[in-house]
Amino acid sequence: MTRIIYLNGQYIPETEGKVSVFDRGFLFSDSVYEVVSVLDRKLVDFEGHVQRLARSLSEIGIEGAPDAHAWLGICRELVSRNAFEEGMIYWQVTRGTPDDRDFVFPPTDMPPTVLAFTQSRTLVNNPVAERGLSVVTVPDLRWGRADIKTTQLLYASLMKNAAIGQGADDAWMERDGWITEGSAQNAHIINRDGVLITHPLNREILHGITRAAVLPLVVQRIEERPFSVSEAEQAAEAFVSSASGFVMPVVRINGYAIGDGKPGSATVQLRNAYIEWARRTAK
Ligand code: PLP
């Protein structure tokens, strides 16, 4: 079955989607995006994602994108047209398509390019959750506004591939020895005193929608503060959170086994609690 995507007001087969070579998303990564998960044909934490998209758009001054009501309609239409059960819906909004390449922004009344498509994935019964992830730390060399969800993802992609090249699954980024976040996930540890430590919300990390939903489900004490690479290597448990992975255990950091090298019990409980919450509140 050919995937039906949404592009600038139209639902079309994926092979028919065309965007200009002058699109600012293509030439300048001048665009923002969201990833919303779908369980049982319903959208998980739709409000959180639509609000963060609005914030990302306003931080870089892109106007004219669909509002919350329109996004809900687009997503539901894509779910229906693709008979979509489980996976993610990707949304992207670019600053549009001027008729030439120019650093200067086009007039704000130029319509943005708006794209959305489904990605079928097994999210709940993901086998990676059973075995856990192995990560290596790398310097965080991204720009200083990691809190805006832009499509400037080259560095994160390079680092993920470098981690895979070293035999790991993914990269955790660090600044001056302090972990900021994963390549596409927020990073968390539970130390040997049972305290959950997670980076505070500032410009160094993306303000994860999953992180925000997971923290109220945590029964442990929470400290929102940076943690060091060595604290992470010696943690009792570690995990990442993201819309596509939910809560995903981390069992190895820089070759050090975390706990007994298997997904930690508090992490497994939190994953189950999050999935229960996601199913109950999806719309
Ligand atoms: N941090 C980064 C750098 C990300 O790219 C993502 C998701 O793509 C996250 C954290 C997790 O955010 P969310 O839970 O909203 O998916």
Side-chain angles (χ1 to χ4, degrees):
M1 180 173 149
T2 310
R3 176 165 44 178
I4 301 297
I5 65 164
Y6 171 90
L7 180 63
N8 298 330
Q10 293 189 302
Y11 297 91
I12 49 177
E14 61 181 21
T15 46
E16 288 174 23
K18 289 192 177 56
V19 176
S20 162
V21 295
F22 296 118
D23 192 280
R24 289 190 56 98
F26 178 59
L27 293 178
F28 293 100
S29 287
D30 188 356
S31 66
V32 295
Y33 76 110
E34 276 299 323
V35 176
V36 185
S37 59
V38 172
L39 286 182
D40 312 323
R41 295 184 158 229
K42 290 191 188 145
L43 303 158
V44 175
D45 218 338
F46 173 79
E47 261 80 29
H49 290 282
V50 89
Q51 280 166 21
R52 184 174 60 189
L53 181 74
R55 176 181 181 274
S56 298
L57 288 164
S58 115
E59 288 295 311
I60 64 169
I62 293 182
E63 295 179 12
D67 62 12
H69 180 73
W71 275 117
L72 189 57
I74 292 167
C75 290
R76 289 198 167 147
E77 195 62 32
L78 288 176
V79 166
S80 153
R81 289 187 187 228
N82 291 292
F84 191 62
E85 291 289 333
E86 183 167 322
M88 294 94 76
I89 303 184
Y90 175 90
W91 317 346
Q92 183 174 344
V93 181
T94 89
R95 203 182 300 273
T97 306
D99 54 14
D100 201 358
R101 179 177 184 272
D102 193 339
F103 275 68
V104 177
F105 292 161
T108 50
D109 60 0
M110 168 165 291
T113 300
V114 181
L115 168 70
F117 55 82
T118 53
Q119 294 188 288
S120 192
R121 298 281 187 281
T122 301
L123 301 182
V124 173
N125 294 320
N126 184 343
V128 180
E130 303 285 318
R131 68 167 168 87
L133 294 167
S134 141
V135 303
V136 289
T137 57
V138 299
D140 190 343
L141 298 180
R142 298 173 301 166
W143 76 323
R145 292 301 308 273
D147 59 311
I148 309 175
K149 198 166 169 69
T150 77
T151 59
Q152 262 188 142
L153 295 170
L154 175 60
Y155 187 70
S157 174
L158 283 171
M159 290 305 105
K160 181 168 184 125
N161 283 281
I164 291 169
Q166 289 177 45
D169 297 301
D170 216 325
W172 275 15
M173 293 178 278
E174 54 87 9
R175 278 182 205 266
D176 303 322
W178 301 94
I179 302 291
T180 50
E181 60 184 332
S183 65
Q185 318 86 11
N186 290 116
H188 320 268
I189 59 169
I190 300 176
N191 71 13
R192 291 180 190 192
D193 297 326
V195 180
L196 189 149
I197 308 167
T198 189
H199 197 287
L201 297 181
N202 60 16
R203 291 183 170 191
E204 293 185 349
I205 65 164
L206 187 73
H207 301 188
I209 301 306
T210 318
R211 175 190 183 279
V214 161
L215 290 186
L217 305 174
V218 169
V219 292
Q220 288 77 12
R221 206 174 91 215
I222 299 174
E223 287 180 13
E224 289 191 64
R225 63 160 176 87
F227 55 87
S228 67
V229 172
S230 61
E231 261 182 301
E233 289 166 349
Q234 280 150 46
E237 298 192 25
F239 66 93
V240 288
S241 62
S242 69
S244 55
F246 303 154
V247 170
M248 195 56 81
V250 170
V251 295
R252 197 163 278 273
I253 302 177
N254 290 337
Y256 292 93
I258 303 305
D260 61 3
K262 300 208 180 79
S265 58
T267 302
V268 172
Q269 266 176 28
L270 202 50
R271 177 176 173 86
N272 292 338
Y274 176 79
I275 291 171
E276 193 276 320
W277 174 87
R279 281 199 198 284
R280 185 161 39 80
T281 58
K283 62 189 271 185

